[in-house]
Amino acid sequence: MRITKHLQKILNALEQWFSIHQLGPTLEELCQELEMQPRQKATLQKWLLSGVV
């Protein structure tokens, strides 16, 4: 799988998240970790579901 900059950013955020928490983040929490605006939640969801990342 090719590592895109979006994927790397998401992987880094998840790695940091799981170093603190036992359960995975919600979409809203992941947006906050990635410093994305709440209105960008749909974009993040699209990245996660489409396999772009």
Side-chain angles (χ1 to χ4, degrees), residues 13-40:
L14 288 173
E15 184 176 271
Q16 182 178 357
W17 178 272
F18 282 112
S19 71
I20 300 168
H21 303 88
Q22 290 184 358
L23 298 176
T26 64
L27 193 56
E28 290 82 7
E29 291 167 333
L30 187 53
C31 280
Q32 288 177 344
E33 288 294 314
L34 294 170
E35 298 177 355
M36 296 176 76
Q37 298 295 318
R39 61 180 162 73
Q40 293 177 293

